[in-house]
Amino acid sequence: MKSELFAAAKAAMDRAYAPYSHFPVGAAILAEDGRVYAGCNVENASFPEGWCAETSALGAMVTAGARRIRAVAVIGTAALTTPCGGCRQRLAEFAAADTPVHICGPEGVRQTFRLDELLPAAFDKEHLP
């Protein structure tokens, strides 16, 4: 399944709209329904406004009716393109602490983290009254 996530994230990265940062990113989510949902970063002239690849993939997943994440792949061209802080929190909304997040480069998976390694002491629904 890791290779399917990588391929979907890579295909999404290839479609990224990043004319300002020139930093394309792709993401793919394996949801509990067994489907893969992909997204890319989309920038606009009001840079840095726009949305991240992980946010795009989450939007596709939620729109399709899925609510739980089993695994994530993120691909960029930097050494380790990990999700930004906001995306880590968004992923935590739909994923367990032990969800694998595969960080990829064009050649494949570079490193795998658990979500709780990327977002220790996450704020979640248990913090709300």
Side-chain angles (χ1 to χ4, degrees):
M1 185 51 71
K2 217 187 293 189
S3 61
E4 182 181 350
L5 275 176
F6 168 75
K10 173 79 170 72
M13 182 182 79
D14 291 342
R15 293 186 297 269
Y17 182 72
Y20 307 103
S21 72
H22 305 287
F23 190 75
V25 179
I29 293 170
L30 172 62
E32 67 182 352
D33 65 2
R35 294 179 58 196
V36 173
Y37 301 93
C40 61
N41 58 321
V42 180
E43 298 175 351
N44 66 60
S46 182
F47 186 74
E49 292 298 319
W51 55 90
C52 299
E54 299 89 341
T55 300
S56 296
L58 279 167
M61 181 191 85
V62 170
T63 299
R67 295 291 186 264
R68 296 299 300 162
I69 296 171
R70 290 186 6 210
V72 179
V74 179
I75 182 172
T77 55
L80 286 179
T81 304
T82 59
C84 72
C87 285
R88 292 174 192 205
Q89 185 64 46
R90 288 180 194 95
L91 292 170
E93 183 70 19
F94 299 97
D98 63 349
T99 299
V101 180
H102 308 293
I103 306 304
C104 308
E107 75 286 352
V109 175
R110 290 179 171 166
Q111 190 168 347
T112 299
F113 296 91
R114 290 168 39 119
L115 183 57
D116 61 357
E117 292 177 296
L118 293 173
L119 187 63
F123 185 87
D124 60 26
K125 62 185 175 189
E126 280 75 40
H127 291 93
L128 300 173

